[in-house]
Amino acid sequence: MTAHMHRPMWCKICGVTSVIDAKAAADAGAEAIGLNFYANSARVVSTEAALRISSALSEYAPNCARIGLFVNHSEGEVRAVLKDVPLDILQFHGEESPEFCKLFDVPFIKVLSMRPGVDFTLIEKQYASAWALLLDTYHPTEAGGTGETFDWRLWPKSSKTKLILAGGLTAENVASAIAQTAPFGVDVSGGVEGDVKGVKEQQLVYRFIKEAKNV
């Protein structure tokens, strides 16, 4: 009996771009939403929009964590966002060093691109101070949000770190993904959207979280 059997699956809806979608995610039972500050992303939010979403969510669902997503931003850029936007956790998608991730005194998630040959044990040791590690699909040019899954057989089953599964998850495959990997949590972005990137479909959000938590 592994530990994850005893608690509901931690679910994050990433790439939220509106107050409506943030509240819908919380209503559906999400433990966290992701606000994307990466300029090249289709789901990028301005500091003003992020502040609106973050403030509305903190009143509406104080237990739903607000996670800010950064990709190779400078220390100054991250600090500028933190000054204006209340964030509970930082998520680093780029080449950020463990030292950089720790600079802000905010819990952080480090994203790892999974592909054969990744030395997970070494990375896990380097980022021992992370709140969690998020395992996503490797893509040579895109920083996440590709809608593609990685080979779940690469999952480090013996890890003691909190591990979050991401990459190509949908309401259709999340249950079998969890069954194969037994993660601490799951993270979805494109898998709960219709045709427009950054706009969540409420029904898909509900179905995804229900499937994830029913495993």
Side-chain angles (χ1 to χ4, degrees), residues 10 35-36 77 117 125 140 143 163 171 174 185:
W10 184 92
L35 298 167
N36 192 328
E77 288 168 327
K125 227 178 247 132
L163 300 181
V174 68

Side-chain angles (χ1 to χ4, degrees), residues 42-84:
R43 303 177 182 95
V44 66
V45 283
S46 65
T47 309
E48 297 74 32
L51 173 58
R52 268 202 310 280
I53 296 166
S54 184
S55 304
L57 192 63
S58 71
E59 285 182 28
Y60 186 76
N63 294 335
C64 188
R66 298 152 301 173
I67 299 181
L69 200 145
F70 298 91
V71 185
N72 296 328
H73 286 69
S74 69
E75 180 186 345
E77 288 168 327
V78 178
R79 290 201 188 280
V81 170
L82 278 172
K83 188 167 69 71
D84 293 333

Side-chain angles (χ1 to χ4, degrees), residues 145-168:
T146 60
E148 293 164 33
T149 57
F150 64 87
D151 182 350
W152 295 327
R153 288 171 304 191
L154 294 171
W155 190 264
K157 285 231 163 49
S158 57
S159 170
K160 297 284 176 275
T161 307
K162 280 197 284 219
L163 300 181
I164 300 164
L165 173 63

